[in-house]
Amino acid sequence: MEKFTKLTGIAAPMPLVNIDTDMIIPKQFLKTIQRSGLGKNLFDEMRYTQDGAEIPDFVLNQPAYRKAEIIVAGDNFGCGSSREHAPWALLDFGIRCVISTSFADIFFNNCFKNGILPIVLPQEQIDILMADARKGANARQTVDLEAQTVTTSDGQSFPFPGDAHRKHCLLNGLDDIGLTLEKAAAIDSFEAKNAALRPWA
Amino acid sequence: MTARTLYDKIWDDHVVHQAEDGTCLLYIDRHLVHEVTSPQAFEGLRMTGRKVRAPEKTIAVPDHNVPTTLDRANAATMTEDSRIQVAALDTNAKDFGINYYPVSDVRQGIVHIVGPEQGWTLPGMTVVCGDSHTATHGAFGSLAHGIGTSEVEHVLATQTLIQRKGKNMKVEITGSLRPGVTAKDITLSVIGHTGTAGGTGYVIEYCGQAIRELSMEGRMTVCNMAIEGGARAGLIAPDEKTFAYCMGRPHAPKGAAWEAAVAYWKTLFSDEGAHWDKVVTLKGEDIAPVVTWGTSPEDVLPITAVVPSPSDFTGGKVEAVSRALDYMGLTPGQKLTDIAIDTVFIGSCTNGRIEDLRAAAAILKGKKIKAGMRAMVVPGSGLVRAQAEEEGLAQIFLDAGFEWRLAGCSMCLAMNPDQLQPGERCAATSNRNFEGRQGRGGRTHLVSPGMAAAAAITGHLTDVREIMTENV
């Protein structure tokens, strides 16, 4: 997994609430057996017509936002299915950070496994970041994970919450499985105890 | 001892390790696997030379891609990419030695229907699957939720999951349901009440008389859609109905082990005085047969209502409703019962169980679907299909003009050939009415099986209670 430390990039405004995982990556693209290559189909049905032509109004098709690395989104981003294809598609497009008032739990969790930082901020701050993102390509926002701050293009800075384990993994690009396997002895002893207490499980 | 909720108890019994910052390693009792969210996880194991730690606790079944037409044994019924995905699961199940129900097996079906049916899902267990509707298994008083593919790989390799504990939310449905009102109406009404983000960060326990009065099938319908309310997991405390459902299932304990299991299961309830972070109470008698009108499961109203206007809402929802009405081709003030339907889909992990088929067949018995209507029943598993045939339900569906299909997820998410065309309007017993969910431009109205059957007869969204009156 790629590390996430500090990012300065273009932020695309997507104020729509309840952007679901079917919007982020429609089901016809879930038939892949790989993780890569989904970026061209990110937001497919919002981004292209049925014949595959770009819909010019869609934010990521606008010249200012074609190289966006941050999305500032409406409430409850990533609701719906557990498909990790959603963060895979975002990452493959180049998005490394999504900022919203709230995220669906499974999507939120999936982001961290892929080097994407989801940030939760209160509505007033989202409103300021959204307005800043609307200024276009020259309005670059900065996300600093070490300091846990987001800074607008004109220097307004907001602290964001986060938990220590996820931050550590993201800063260092660590593989969860490797870390868990270091606790193999604890898993062994849990299984031994469980076999006595709940043999049917 | 501190009073604990059911969620607290199951959690406590599965913590392998707790870090200083509260992050826990949670033991997983059952890992269900399907073909869409697992190939990259198995590939990860191969690349790192890791094995499946507990193949005996891992159960796989293909369901999302598989065609449900009767000719599906013919490989040409599947697209190339679907075929590759199903073949990958065949290979992975064999190579890693996990329990497997291939497409050709009569026990094949939707993973969330097969798990309980085969007795893999039992009270007090932790159950995960790379699918958000894993919440279904919470009906047994098991802590069950969806995970992403990276977590699927993590569970395959370690039989554990890294988790932080969620908050406790109680959803109580008091009193009894009125005739024509079902588990689907409960779960949709709760989402209508709390919103799709109302359960974010929580595990919901459903309780109250109306929940206790539901069958296991109905309880699975309620828990299935916990995720649509934002909660990863929904739970219902096990009781005699739960034990009766589990008894004798192929993978349920037997003899003395059964007695020991039941004794433990009887401790699985929320203690008097346990702490709830949020409580929602609805009166069972106030719940009506409901239908969704928009593109979010929270866009739900009683069938007797009219299409709302964006001006009825505030904040970001104003724009979202305006967009939804445009997508759905609806006008504010239009009666919901005036909305004409092209297609009816009965099935899915929400409503593809035997009781759902019985409810739909009771409405359809002796009736025909509206001319020109496309209608299909997709049983949740091969065994549900067989039972429905034995009970004569299949014949009722066929006589009414429905297609009688083989088991799979089918038109719930349209990864197989069953899709809506742009503008095609469907009354569906599934769980999501998102834009494009059942096919690009397709318009979905979520309803109960009885309501779906009623719409198939009349050709428009219909109050099932009117057909029930006719049938008396």
Side-chain angles (χ1 to χ4, degrees), chain A residues 107-159:
Chain A
F107 174 83
F108 187 76
N109 212 34
N110 283 341
C111 284
F112 288 98
K113 313 290 181 188
N114 293 283
I116 297 176
L117 175 63
I119 296 177
V120 178
L121 288 175
Q123 187 68 55
E124 317 79 82
Q125 296 176 6
I126 293 292
D127 291 344
I128 293 166
L129 289 164
M130 194 74 77
D132 187 51
R134 286 195 166 113
K135 292 178 192 164
N138 292 325
R140 289 166 174 256
Q141 298 180 355
T142 297
V143 178
D144 184 338
L145 178 57
E146 184 62 62
Q148 292 186 225
T149 55
V150 184
T151 308
T152 62
S153 62
D154 49 13
Q156 257 190 293
S157 202
F158 307 115

Short mmCIF file of all heavy atoms in Angstrom, two decimals, chain A residues 107-159:
data_model
loop_
_atom_site.label_atom_id
_atom_site.label_comp_id
_atom_site.label_asym_id
_atom_site.label_seq_id
_atom_site.Cartn_x
_atom_site.Cartn_y
_atom_site.Cartn_z
N PHE A 107 -17.21 1.60 3.56
CA PHE A 107 -16.41 2.38 2.61
C PHE A 107 -15.26 3.07 3.34
O PHE A 107 -14.11 3.06 2.88
CB PHE A 107 -17.28 3.41 1.88
CG PHE A 107 -16.48 4.33 1.01
CD1 PHE A 107 -16.12 3.94 -0.26
CD2 PHE A 107 -16.06 5.57 1.48
CE1 PHE A 107 -15.34 4.77 -1.06
CE2 PHE A 107 -15.28 6.41 0.69
CZ PHE A 107 -14.93 6.02 -0.59
N PHE A 108 -15.57 3.68 4.46
CA PHE A 108 -14.59 4.40 5.27
C PHE A 108 -13.40 3.50 5.59
O PHE A 108 -12.24 3.85 5.39
CB PHE A 108 -15.28 4.87 6.55
CG PHE A 108 -14.47 5.78 7.43
CD1 PHE A 108 -14.30 7.11 7.09
CD2 PHE A 108 -13.91 5.32 8.61
CE1 PHE A 108 -13.57 7.97 7.91
CE2 PHE A 108 -13.18 6.16 9.43
CZ PHE A 108 -13.01 7.50 9.09
N ASN A 109 -13.74 2.30 6.05
CA ASN A 109 -12.73 1.31 6.40
C ASN A 109 -11.92 0.87 5.19
O ASN A 109 -10.70 0.74 5.25
CB ASN A 109 -13.49 0.12 6.99
CG ASN A 109 -12.71 -0.58 8.04
OD1 ASN A 109 -11.97 0.04 8.78
ND2 ASN A 109 -12.88 -1.88 8.09
N ASN A 110 -12.62 0.64 4.08
CA ASN A 110 -11.94 0.19 2.86
C ASN A 110 -10.92 1.21 2.36
O ASN A 110 -9.89 0.82 1.79
CB ASN A 110 -12.96 -0.06 1.74
CG ASN A 110 -13.72 -1.38 1.92
OD1 ASN A 110 -13.28 -2.26 2.65
ND2 ASN A 110 -14.86 -1.50 1.26
N CYS A 111 -11.18 2.49 2.55
CA CYS A 111 -10.26 3.53 2.10
C CYS A 111 -8.88 3.34 2.72
O CYS A 111 -7.86 3.40 2.03
CB CYS A 111 -10.79 4.92 2.48
SG CYS A 111 -12.12 5.46 1.41
N PHE A 112 -8.86 3.10 4.03
CA PHE A 112 -7.59 2.99 4.75
C PHE A 112 -6.74 1.81 4.25
O PHE A 112 -5.53 1.81 4.40
CB PHE A 112 -7.84 2.82 6.26
CG PHE A 112 -8.31 4.09 6.90
CD1 PHE A 112 -9.66 4.29 7.13
CD2 PHE A 112 -7.42 5.08 7.25
CE1 PHE A 112 -10.10 5.47 7.73
CE2 PHE A 112 -7.84 6.25 7.85
CZ PHE A 112 -9.20 6.46 8.08
N LYS A 113 -7.42 0.78 3.70
CA LYS A 113 -6.67 -0.38 3.22
C LYS A 113 -6.00 -0.09 1.89
O LYS A 113 -5.28 -0.93 1.34
CB LYS A 113 -7.61 -1.59 3.03
CG LYS A 113 -8.56 -1.85 4.18
CD LYS A 113 -7.84 -2.36 5.39
CE LYS A 113 -8.84 -2.63 6.51
NZ LYS A 113 -8.17 -2.95 7.77
N ASN A 114 -6.29 1.07 1.31
CA ASN A 114 -5.81 1.37 -0.03
C ASN A 114 -5.07 2.70 -0.12
O ASN A 114 -4.92 3.25 -1.20
CB ASN A 114 -7.00 1.36 -1.01
CG ASN A 114 -7.57 -0.04 -1.15
OD1 ASN A 114 -6.99 -0.87 -1.84
ND2 ASN A 114 -8.67 -0.32 -0.46
N GLY A 115 -4.65 3.20 1.02
CA GLY A 115 -3.88 4.44 1.02
C GLY A 115 -4.69 5.68 0.71
O GLY A 115 -4.15 6.70 0.30
N ILE A 116 -6.02 5.59 0.88
CA ILE A 116 -6.88 6.77 0.70
C ILE A 116 -7.28 7.26 2.09
O ILE A 116 -7.64 6.46 2.96
CB ILE A 116 -8.15 6.42 -0.10
CG1 ILE A 116 -7.77 5.95 -1.51
CG2 ILE A 116 -9.11 7.61 -0.16
CD1 ILE A 116 -8.96 5.49 -2.34
N LEU A 117 -7.21 8.57 2.28
CA LEU A 117 -7.57 9.13 3.58
C LEU A 117 -8.98 9.75 3.53
O LEU A 117 -9.19 10.72 2.82
CB LEU A 117 -6.54 10.21 3.97
CG LEU A 117 -6.83 10.99 5.25
CD1 LEU A 117 -6.84 10.09 6.47
CD2 LEU A 117 -5.80 12.10 5.44
N PRO A 118 -9.95 9.17 4.25
CA PRO A 118 -11.26 9.81 4.37
C PRO A 118 -11.26 10.72 5.60
O PRO A 118 -10.83 10.32 6.67
CB PRO A 118 -12.22 8.62 4.56
CG PRO A 118 -11.37 7.54 5.18
CD PRO A 118 -9.92 7.86 4.94
N ILE A 119 -11.72 11.94 5.43
CA ILE A 119 -11.68 12.91 6.53
C ILE A 119 -13.10 13.38 6.85
O ILE A 119 -13.85 13.77 5.96
CB ILE A 119 -10.82 14.13 6.15
CG1 ILE A 119 -9.37 13.70 5.96
CG2 ILE A 119 -10.93 15.23 7.21
CD1 ILE A 119 -8.45 14.83 5.50
N VAL A 120 -13.45 13.33 8.13
CA VAL A 120 -14.76 13.79 8.58
C VAL A 120 -14.61 15.16 9.25
O VAL A 120 -13.81 15.33 10.15
CB VAL A 120 -15.37 12.80 9.59
CG1 VAL A 120 -16.72 13.30 10.09
CG2 VAL A 120 -15.53 11.42 8.97
N LEU A 121 -15.37 16.13 8.76
CA LEU A 121 -15.36 17.48 9.33
C LEU A 121 -16.79 17.97 9.49
O LEU A 121 -17.69 17.50 8.79
CB LEU A 121 -14.59 18.43 8.41
CG LEU A 121 -13.06 18.27 8.36
CD1 LEU A 121 -12.47 19.20 7.30
CD2 LEU A 121 -12.42 18.53 9.71
N PRO A 122 -17.01 18.93 10.40
CA PRO A 122 -18.36 19.46 10.57
C PRO A 122 -18.83 20.25 9.34
O PRO A 122 -18.02 20.73 8.54
CB PRO A 122 -18.24 20.39 11.78
CG PRO A 122 -16.82 20.44 12.16
CD PRO A 122 -16.04 19.50 11.34
N GLN A 123 -20.16 20.38 9.24
CA GLN A 123 -20.79 21.01 8.06
C GLN A 123 -20.22 22.40 7.74
O GLN A 123 -19.94 22.69 6.57
CB GLN A 123 -22.31 21.10 8.29
CG GLN A 123 -23.10 21.58 7.08
CD GLN A 123 -23.09 20.57 5.93
OE1 GLN A 123 -23.45 19.42 6.10
NE2 GLN A 123 -22.64 21.00 4.76
N GLU A 124 -20.00 23.24 8.76
CA GLU A 124 -19.53 24.62 8.49
C GLU A 124 -18.17 24.58 7.78
O GLU A 124 -17.90 25.39 6.89
CB GLU A 124 -19.32 25.44 9.78
CG GLU A 124 -20.36 25.35 10.87
CD GLU A 124 -20.21 24.09 11.71
OE1 GLU A 124 -19.39 24.04 12.64
OE2 GLU A 124 -20.98 23.15 11.41
N GLN A 125 -17.32 23.63 8.19
CA GLN A 125 -15.99 23.55 7.58
C GLN A 125 -16.07 22.95 6.18
O GLN A 125 -15.35 23.36 5.28
CB GLN A 125 -15.06 22.75 8.50
CG GLN A 125 -14.86 23.46 9.84
CD GLN A 125 -14.02 22.68 10.83
OE1 GLN A 125 -13.47 21.63 10.51
NE2 GLN A 125 -13.93 23.19 12.05
N ILE A 126 -16.98 21.98 6.02
CA ILE A 126 -17.20 21.40 4.69
C ILE A 126 -17.67 22.51 3.74
O ILE A 126 -17.23 22.60 2.59
CB ILE A 126 -18.23 20.26 4.74
CG1 ILE A 126 -17.68 19.06 5.52
CG2 ILE A 126 -18.67 19.83 3.33
CD1 ILE A 126 -16.53 18.32 4.88
N ASP A 127 -18.56 23.37 4.23
CA ASP A 127 -19.06 24.47 3.40
C ASP A 127 -17.91 25.36 2.92
O ASP A 127 -17.88 25.77 1.76
CB ASP A 127 -20.08 25.33 4.18
CG ASP A 127 -21.38 24.57 4.45
OD1 ASP A 127 -21.61 23.53 3.79
OD2 ASP A 127 -22.16 25.00 5.33
N ILE A 128 -16.97 25.65 3.81
CA ILE A 128 -15.82 26.49 3.45
C ILE A 128 -14.92 25.77 2.43
O ILE A 128 -14.52 26.34 1.42
CB ILE A 128 -15.01 26.89 4.71
CG1 ILE A 128 -15.88 27.82 5.59
CG2 ILE A 128 -13.69 27.57 4.34
CD1 ILE A 128 -15.35 28.02 7.00
N LEU A 129 -14.67 24.46 2.69
CA LEU A 129 -13.82 23.69 1.76
C LEU A 129 -14.51 23.53 0.40
O LEU A 129 -13.86 23.55 -0.64
CB LEU A 129 -13.52 22.31 2.37
CG LEU A 129 -12.56 22.33 3.57
CD1 LEU A 129 -12.62 21.01 4.33
CD2 LEU A 129 -11.13 22.60 3.11
N MET A 130 -15.85 23.38 0.42
CA MET A 130 -16.61 23.23 -0.83
C MET A 130 -16.49 24.51 -1.66
O MET A 130 -16.24 24.47 -2.86
CB MET A 130 -18.08 22.93 -0.49
CG MET A 130 -18.92 22.43 -1.65
SD MET A 130 -18.55 20.71 -2.11
CE MET A 130 -19.38 19.81 -0.82
N ALA A 131 -16.66 25.64 -0.98
CA ALA A 131 -16.56 26.95 -1.67
C ALA A 131 -15.15 27.12 -2.23
O ALA A 131 -14.96 27.60 -3.35
CB ALA A 131 -16.90 28.07 -0.71
N ASP A 132 -14.17 26.70 -1.48
CA ASP A 132 -12.77 26.80 -1.91
C ASP A 132 -12.53 25.90 -3.13
O ASP A 132 -11.91 26.31 -4.12
CB ASP A 132 -11.86 26.39 -0.75
CG ASP A 132 -10.39 26.61 -1.04
OD1 ASP A 132 -10.04 27.73 -1.46
OD2 ASP A 132 -9.59 25.67 -0.87
N ALA A 133 -13.08 24.67 -3.07
CA ALA A 133 -12.90 23.72 -4.17
C ALA A 133 -13.55 24.25 -5.45
O ALA A 133 -13.05 24.02 -6.56
CB ALA A 133 -13.52 22.37 -3.81
N ARG A 134 -14.64 25.00 -5.30
CA ARG A 134 -15.34 25.54 -6.48
C ARG A 134 -14.51 26.59 -7.22
O ARG A 134 -14.84 26.96 -8.34
CB ARG A 134 -16.69 26.15 -6.04
CG ARG A 134 -17.73 25.10 -5.72
CD ARG A 134 -19.13 25.71 -5.64
NE ARG A 134 -20.15 24.66 -5.67
CZ ARG A 134 -20.94 24.36 -4.65
NH1 ARG A 134 -20.87 25.05 -3.52
NH2 ARG A 134 -21.83 23.39 -4.75
N LYS A 135 -13.45 27.08 -6.59
CA LYS A 135 -12.61 28.09 -7.27
C LYS A 135 -11.82 27.49 -8.41
O LYS A 135 -11.28 28.21 -9.24
CB LYS A 135 -11.64 28.72 -6.25
CG LYS A 135 -12.30 29.58 -5.19
CD LYS A 135 -11.22 30.08 -4.24
CE LYS A 135 -11.81 30.68 -2.98
NZ LYS A 135 -10.76 30.81 -1.94
N GLY A 136 -11.70 26.15 -8.44
CA GLY A 136 -11.05 25.51 -9.58
C GLY A 136 -9.60 25.11 -9.34
O GLY A 136 -9.14 25.03 -8.21
N ALA A 137 -8.90 24.89 -10.47
CA ALA A 137 -7.59 24.24 -10.44
C ALA A 137 -6.52 24.98 -9.65
O ALA A 137 -5.58 24.38 -9.15
CB ALA A 137 -7.10 24.00 -11.86
N ASN A 138 -6.67 26.28 -9.55
CA ASN A 138 -5.62 27.02 -8.84
C ASN A 138 -5.81 26.97 -7.33
O ASN A 138 -4.92 27.34 -6.57
CB ASN A 138 -5.58 28.46 -9.32
CG ASN A 138 -5.10 28.53 -10.75
OD1 ASN A 138 -4.25 27.72 -11.16
ND2 ASN A 138 -5.66 29.44 -11.52
N ALA A 139 -7.00 26.52 -6.93
CA ALA A 139 -7.30 26.47 -5.50
C ALA A 139 -6.90 25.11 -4.94
O ALA A 139 -7.71 24.21 -4.82
CB ALA A 139 -8.78 26.73 -5.27
N ARG A 140 -5.66 24.97 -4.61
CA ARG A 140 -5.17 23.67 -4.12
C ARG A 140 -5.31 23.59 -2.60
O ARG A 140 -4.93 24.52 -1.91
CB ARG A 140 -3.72 23.47 -4.54
CG ARG A 140 -3.62 23.23 -6.02
CD ARG A 140 -2.22 23.34 -6.55
NE ARG A 140 -2.23 22.96 -7.94
CZ ARG A 140 -1.78 21.77 -8.39
NH1 ARG A 140 -1.25 20.91 -7.55
NH2 ARG A 140 -1.86 21.47 -9.66
N GLN A 141 -5.82 22.46 -2.15
CA GLN A 141 -5.95 22.26 -0.71
C GLN A 141 -4.82 21.33 -0.25
O GLN A 141 -4.32 20.52 -1.02
CB GLN A 141 -7.32 21.65 -0.38
CG GLN A 141 -8.46 22.59 -0.79
CD GLN A 141 -9.85 22.06 -0.49
OE1 GLN A 141 -10.02 20.93 -0.04
NE2 GLN A 141 -10.86 22.89 -0.74
N THR A 142 -4.46 21.50 1.02
CA THR A 142 -3.37 20.68 1.56
C THR A 142 -3.87 19.82 2.71
O THR A 142 -4.55 20.32 3.62
CB THR A 142 -2.21 21.58 2.05
OG1 THR A 142 -1.70 22.28 0.91
CG2 THR A 142 -1.09 20.75 2.66
N VAL A 143 -3.58 18.53 2.62
CA VAL A 143 -3.96 17.60 3.67
C VAL A 143 -2.68 17.07 4.30
O VAL A 143 -1.85 16.48 3.60
CB VAL A 143 -4.79 16.43 3.09
CG1 VAL A 143 -5.14 15.44 4.19
CG2 VAL A 143 -6.03 16.95 2.39
N ASP A 144 -2.53 17.29 5.58
CA ASP A 144 -1.32 16.84 6.29
C ASP A 144 -1.74 15.80 7.33
O ASP A 144 -2.37 16.14 8.33
CB ASP A 144 -0.66 18.07 6.94
CG ASP A 144 0.68 17.70 7.62
OD1 ASP A 144 0.88 16.51 7.94
OD2 ASP A 144 1.49 18.62 7.80
N LEU A 145 -1.43 14.55 7.09
CA LEU A 145 -1.88 13.49 8.00
C LEU A 145 -1.12 13.53 9.32
O LEU A 145 -1.70 13.34 10.38
CB LEU A 145 -1.74 12.12 7.32
CG LEU A 145 -2.13 10.91 8.18
CD1 LEU A 145 -3.56 11.01 8.70
CD2 LEU A 145 -1.96 9.61 7.39
N GLU A 146 0.17 13.78 9.25
CA GLU A 146 0.96 13.82 10.49
C GLU A 146 0.37 14.86 11.45
O GLU A 146 0.13 14.58 12.62
CB GLU A 146 2.42 14.15 10.14
CG GLU A 146 3.37 14.13 11.32
CD GLU A 146 3.48 12.76 12.00
OE1 GLU A 146 3.90 11.78 11.34
OE2 GLU A 146 3.11 12.68 13.17
N ALA A 147 0.09 16.06 10.91
CA ALA A 147 -0.45 17.15 11.75
C ALA A 147 -1.96 17.04 11.91
O ALA A 147 -2.54 17.73 12.75
CB ALA A 147 -0.09 18.49 11.11
N GLN A 148 -2.60 16.17 11.11
CA GLN A 148 -4.07 16.03 11.08
C GLN A 148 -4.76 17.38 10.83
O GLN A 148 -5.63 17.80 11.58
CB GLN A 148 -4.58 15.34 12.35
CG GLN A 148 -4.14 13.89 12.42
CD GLN A 148 -4.73 13.12 13.60
OE1 GLN A 148 -4.03 12.40 14.27
NE2 GLN A 148 -6.03 13.26 13.85
N THR A 149 -4.37 18.01 9.72
CA THR A 149 -5.01 19.27 9.33
C THR A 149 -5.33 19.28 7.83
O THR A 149 -4.61 18.67 7.03
CB THR A 149 -4.10 20.49 9.59
OG1 THR A 149 -2.85 20.28 8.93
CG2 THR A 149 -3.88 20.73 11.07
N VAL A 150 -6.40 19.98 7.48
CA VAL A 150 -6.72 20.31 6.09
C VAL A 150 -6.63 21.82 5.96
O VAL A 150 -7.15 22.54 6.82
CB VAL A 150 -8.17 19.92 5.71
CG1 VAL A 150 -8.42 20.18 4.23
CG2 VAL A 150 -8.47 18.49 6.05
N THR A 151 -5.99 22.29 4.90
CA THR A 151 -5.81 23.74 4.74
C THR A 151 -6.35 24.16 3.38
O THR A 151 -6.04 23.55 2.35
CB THR A 151 -4.32 24.11 4.86
OG1 THR A 151 -3.83 23.55 6.09
CG2 THR A 151 -4.12 25.61 4.88
N THR A 152 -7.18 25.21 3.37
CA THR A 152 -7.75 25.70 2.11
C THR A 152 -6.67 26.45 1.33
O THR A 152 -5.59 26.73 1.86
CB THR A 152 -8.89 26.70 2.39
OG1 THR A 152 -8.35 27.82 3.09
CG2 THR A 152 -10.01 26.07 3.20
N SER A 153 -7.01 26.82 0.09
CA SER A 153 -6.04 27.50 -0.76
C SER A 153 -5.66 28.87 -0.20
O SER A 153 -4.59 29.39 -0.50
CB SER A 153 -6.59 27.65 -2.17
OG SER A 153 -7.76 28.43 -2.15
N ASP A 154 -6.54 29.45 0.63
CA ASP A 154 -6.16 30.75 1.21
C ASP A 154 -5.71 30.64 2.66
O ASP A 154 -5.73 31.62 3.42
CB ASP A 154 -7.29 31.78 1.03
CG ASP A 154 -8.64 31.24 1.45
OD1 ASP A 154 -8.66 30.17 2.10
OD2 ASP A 154 -9.67 31.87 1.13
N GLY A 155 -5.31 29.42 3.04
CA GLY A 155 -4.61 29.27 4.31
C GLY A 155 -5.45 29.03 5.56
O GLY A 155 -4.93 28.99 6.67
N GLN A 156 -6.76 28.81 5.37
CA GLN A 156 -7.58 28.48 6.55
C GLN A 156 -7.36 27.01 6.89
O GLN A 156 -7.52 26.15 6.01
CB GLN A 156 -9.05 28.67 6.21
CG GLN A 156 -9.66 29.93 6.78
CD GLN A 156 -11.16 29.91 6.60
OE1 GLN A 156 -11.63 29.98 5.46
NE2 GLN A 156 -11.89 29.82 7.68
N SER A 157 -7.07 26.71 8.12
CA SER A 157 -6.70 25.35 8.48
C SER A 157 -7.69 24.74 9.48
O SER A 157 -8.12 25.42 10.40
CB SER A 157 -5.29 25.39 9.07
OG SER A 157 -4.71 24.13 8.97
N PHE A 158 -8.04 23.48 9.26
CA PHE A 158 -8.98 22.78 10.16
C PHE A 158 -8.36 21.47 10.63
O PHE A 158 -7.89 20.68 9.81
CB PHE A 158 -10.28 22.45 9.43
CG PHE A 158 -10.93 23.63 8.76
CD1 PHE A 158 -11.05 23.67 7.38
CD2 PHE A 158 -11.42 24.68 9.53
CE1 PHE A 158 -11.64 24.77 6.76
CE2 PHE A 158 -12.01 25.78 8.92
CZ PHE A 158 -12.13 25.82 7.53
N PRO A 159 -8.38 21.23 11.94
CA PRO A 159 -7.89 19.93 12.42
C PRO A 159 -8.94 18.84 12.16
O PRO A 159 -10.14 19.13 12.17
CB PRO A 159 -7.72 20.16 13.92
CG PRO A 159 -8.64 21.27 14.26
CD PRO A 159 -8.83 22.11 13.02
#
